[in-house]
Amino acid sequence: RAIGAAVGFEAKSCMAAPIFVGGRTYGVIEVFNRGDGASFEEADLNTLIDGTRMLAKVLEVRFLTAELGRLLR
């Protein structure tokens, strides 16, 4: 609440999902306040988790591409 008050944002609901790449945590995506004002549901969380898995695959490919570039120099 203190942070929300400091930045002028009120979090009424929140959900989060970690970003795992190769067994390592690279971050967390947090989503606040559904647009319709309702609370988040399990389907919303499943969508967020699917999105973080897709993001993790993109990052994994990017990391592997960068490593391959370093090896080929």
Side-chain angles (χ1 to χ4, degrees):
R1 290 184 184 169
I3 294 171
V7 298
F9 177 80
E10 181 183 3
K12 296 179 181 175
S13 61
C14 174
M15 64 179 177
I19 304 165
F20 294 117
V21 179
R24 184 174 173 194
T25 304
Y26 274 82
V28 175
I29 293 182
E30 293 179 309
V31 180
F32 296 92
N33 301 347
R34 271 182 56 149
D36 62 4
S39 295
F40 290 111
E41 299 176 357
E42 187 172 348
D44 299 316
L45 181 58
N46 290 335
T47 300
L48 179 61
I49 291 169
D50 288 344
T52 59
R53 286 182 182 149
M54 285 187 265
L55 175 58
K57 290 293 181 190
V58 170
L59 291 173
E60 184 176 28
V61 168
R62 177 64 183 104
F63 295 157
L64 291 172
T65 302
E67 181 63 21
L68 181 60
R70 281 191 291 274
L71 291 173
L72 294 176
R73 286 185 200 166

